[in-house]
Amino acid sequence: MKMSNDASASSFGWNFQANAAIILLIKCIKNAESIKVESKNQDIEIKQIDGSFIYAQAKSVVAPHDTANISARLKDALVSLSSVPINCSKLVYVTNIKTPFNDSERLFQNREICPYAVFSEKDKININAAIASIKEKLEKSIIEEQLKAKKDEHKSCRSNAKLDNINNFKVEDLNVYVVFPYYDADNKSPGDKGRYVEVSEAIQELLDNFKFNSDVDFRIKGRLLEHWQNYFAHNSTLKDGPISKSISKKDFLLPILYFLGNDELEDVESILETKFEPAGKREALNILSNKNFRLEYEGFEFYSKVIGEYDLFVKNCPNTSNKIKEFLNEKWSLFEMDFSTIEEDIVKEIITKKLMYNILLNRIKMNKIKKGANIS
């Protein structure tokens, strides 16, 4: 029989994990400090401001009505979640199975992390049955391994450790989040909005929390989705070792400011009532078109410095007619050291003034983000 090299189901699982991480971080954004995708402890690890952690295990099926794998996915998730460290505030089983506990009468589609307390009695019976099945399998495995040669002793130890974990697992700590619909395009029914409808709705919820207008939401929502998907997928490939792979809440939200701004120079030329030197302008535009450059420099720290100086400038010069123009011309040199890697002085001046201007234009939106996401 010819073997298949089709790994699309595995790729689908990684894709689901990255998108589930986006959703969970948005749901926990106020109390979150950072996130890791594919950490040494769990599929998704969210560190909270108080130092505790939320651990999530992501399990998916490719076909929307796949009922054959419900029990297997649940058992795998329970075994993994039972092994997490002690300093945990929440354990979450996140899946695209609309009936995650094999209960056709119970649908978790309220876009909230649901605690064990709200599970139906049938849900709880099915979960405890899954735990009992896991214990039985591990106990049989241990007996079989102990009868084999010494070369299998290491495997026996692992089975013992898993059994200890599942015996100590507190089922009351279990939470569930269902991302549905979320499935392969080949399984999509007519009228369905596609695989990413739920993560798009979560992003919309985040933007609504920041109280932006609908025009802003429409302009940036799709771009944020694409950026965060790539960002989290890449994070999952990094080894969780001595060098931290954590994505801070600030780094997660930073692209919002990037997409709210622009890399055009006509607006800052207009406010300054001048025209930049053509060669310097071309080089500045080339640098500003690099997304990574703007994500690095158009951030919360640079924002705080610029706004602090601007507030001081306005306080000391209350009668200045064109405050932004005068501030950019008089104070840009305070920030040129932030762009020390740019060699040409004229290019450095253009870029500094442009990014300062972007920040001043978006300062109200920045304050909304900081308030809505609980950033000090």
Side-chain angles (χ1 to χ4, degrees), residues 302-321:
F302 187 57
Y303 161 87
S304 297
K305 289 194 290 185
V306 171
I307 294 302
E309 287 294 335
Y310 181 72
D311 289 342
L312 185 62
F313 177 80
V314 170
K315 180 180 179 180
N316 294 334
C317 307
N319 299 320
T320 303
S321 58

Side-chain angles (χ1 to χ4, degrees), residues 141-194:
S141 178
I142 290 170
I143 293 172
E144 291 171 359
E145 290 161 7
Q146 288 174 342
L147 294 174
K148 292 181 181 180
K150 291 183 177 181
K151 64 180 182 179
D152 290 322
E153 285 181 354
H154 182 63
K155 186 175 182 181
S156 179
C157 290
R158 287 189 301 181
S159 296
N160 274 314
K162 287 181 180 180
L163 183 58
D164 288 342
N165 289 335
I166 204 71
N167 280 330
N168 293 321
F169 181 66
K170 295 180 180 178
V171 69
E172 298 82 7
D173 293 339
L174 182 65
N175 298 261
V176 67
Y177 190 98
V178 172
V179 182
F180 187 88
Y182 191 102
Y183 39 82
D184 194 314
D186 291 340
N187 292 302
K188 192 170 69 170
S189 303
D192 287 342
K193 295 180 181 179

